Amino acid sequence: LGDIELYLYNIFLRVTKQYLPHLARLCLISTFLEDGIRMWFQWNEQRDYIEATWNCGYFLATCFVLLNLIGQLGGCVLILSRNFVQYACFGLFGIIALQTVAYSILWDLKFLMRNLALGGGLLLLLAESRSEGKSMFAGVPSMGESSPKQYMQLGGRVLLVLMFMTLLHFDSSFFSILQNMVGTALIILVAIGFKTKLAALTLVVWLLAINFYFNAFWTIPAYKPMHDFLKYDFFQTTSVIGGLLLVVALGPGGVSMDEKKKEW
C-alpha cells in the first residue's frame, strides 16, 4: 500500500509540476486580493473604524485605507505578472505589519499566529523569486546550503506551521485526539524538512477540507458580521495553502533533513 501511495504521489507531482507554482502563487495572494477589494467597497467603514480607534483624524485614516488598497492590489498584480516580485513581497510584509498594529492583532494570539503563517508564505515566495546564482545582498556571494534562500525556506516552513497550531482542539473526544496527533506529526515533519513534500501535500488536503467546512462564508447572509469573519478566515487559510503548495512544488530547501539525507 505504501508503494502504491508513493507511486500515485509521484505521478501527481509530475502531472502538476508545470502548474503547481502558478496555483500556489494565486492561492498565496488571495487574502491580499480579497482585502484590497474590500478596502474599495468598504472604504468609508474602514476609514471611520481607523479614525475612531486611533483618533488619528480623517486625513491619516484615509491614507491608511488608500495605502492598504494600493499596496495589496499592486503587490498582487506584480506577483501574478512575475515583475518585481521581491519588492512586492516586501510591500506585503509591510501591509501585514501595519494591519497587525492597526487592528490590534498583536494582542490576539490566534490572529497573530495566522498573520505570522501568512508571512511564512511570503518568505517562501520571496525564496522562489530568487534566481539560483544571485544574492539579494550586494557583495555577499552565494554559499550553497548556507545562502539566504535556504534560510528563507526554513523560516517560511516554520512560520507556516503556526496556522495549524491554531486548529488544534484541546478536548477529550477520540476524533480530536486523533486529529491533534496526526496534525502535530505532519507539522513537525514540515518544520524539520523530513518527507516534506508528502507531509505538505497531506496538510494541503486537510486544510482544504477544514476551510470549506468551517469557513463557508457563502452560507451566511452578507449583512451578518459572521459572514465577514468567516470570509477573512477562508482567504487567510487559502493563502497558507498557497505557501504549502510552494513547499510541494519547490521542496524544503537546503536546511532540511531531506537535503541532508542526500549527503549520507
Side-chain angles (χ1 to χ4, degrees), residues 183-201:
T184 301
L186 288 171
I187 63 178
I188 290 174
L189 289 177
V190 171
I192 66 176
F194 183 69
K195 302 289 184 184
T196 317
K197 289 188 175 184
L198 184 57
L201 186 59

Side-chain angles (χ1 to χ4, degrees), residues 84-157:
F84 305 105
V85 175
Q86 294 189 23
Y87 295 106
C89 287
F90 287 129
L92 293 177
F93 276 127
I95 294 293
I96 291 176
L98 182 63
Q99 291 190 353
T100 298
V101 174
Y103 294 113
S104 301
I105 292 173
L106 196 61
W107 314 118
D108 188 317
L109 185 59
K110 177 181 176 180
F111 285 107
L112 178 61
M113 291 173 76
R114 292 192 173 195
N115 265 19
L116 289 172
L118 190 57
L122 285 177
L123 262 183
L124 291 169
L125 183 59
L126 190 59
E128 187 241 1
S129 71
R130 290 169 52 87
S131 56
E132 289 295 331
K134 295 180 179 179
S135 172
M136 187 175 65
F137 306 99
V140 179
S142 177
M143 298 178 63
E145 300 299 329
S146 61
S147 67
K149 178 179 178 180
Q150 312 299 334
Y151 289 104
M152 287 179 193
Q153 290 177 282
L154 172 63
R157 293 199 321 269

Side-chain angles (χ1 to χ4, degrees), residues 27-28 30-31 113-119 121 124 159-164 204 207 234-246:
C27 289
L28 185 54
S30 64
T31 190
M113 291 173 76
R114 292 192 173 195
N115 265 19
L116 289 172
L118 190 57
L124 291 169
L159 288 175
L160 276 181
V161 304
L162 293 177
M163 165 63 79
F164 297 91
V204 166
L207 203 51
F234 180 87
F235 283 102
Q236 267 218 332
T237 305
T238 302
S239 290
V240 173
I241 288 173
L244 286 168
L245 286 174
L246 276 179

Side-chain angles (χ1 to χ4, degrees), residues 217 220-221 223-231:
F217 65 89
I220 306 295
Y223 63 86
K224 292 189 175 182
M226 184 57 67
H227 176 91
D228 283 341
F229 282 118
L230 292 180
K231 191 175 184 181

Side-chain angles (χ1 to χ4, degrees), residues 58-74:
Y58 180 91
F59 177 74
L60 287 179
T62 300
C63 289
F64 172 86
V65 178
L66 183 63
L67 179 62
N68 273 270
L69 189 153
I70 295 176
Q72 291 184 103
L73 294 184

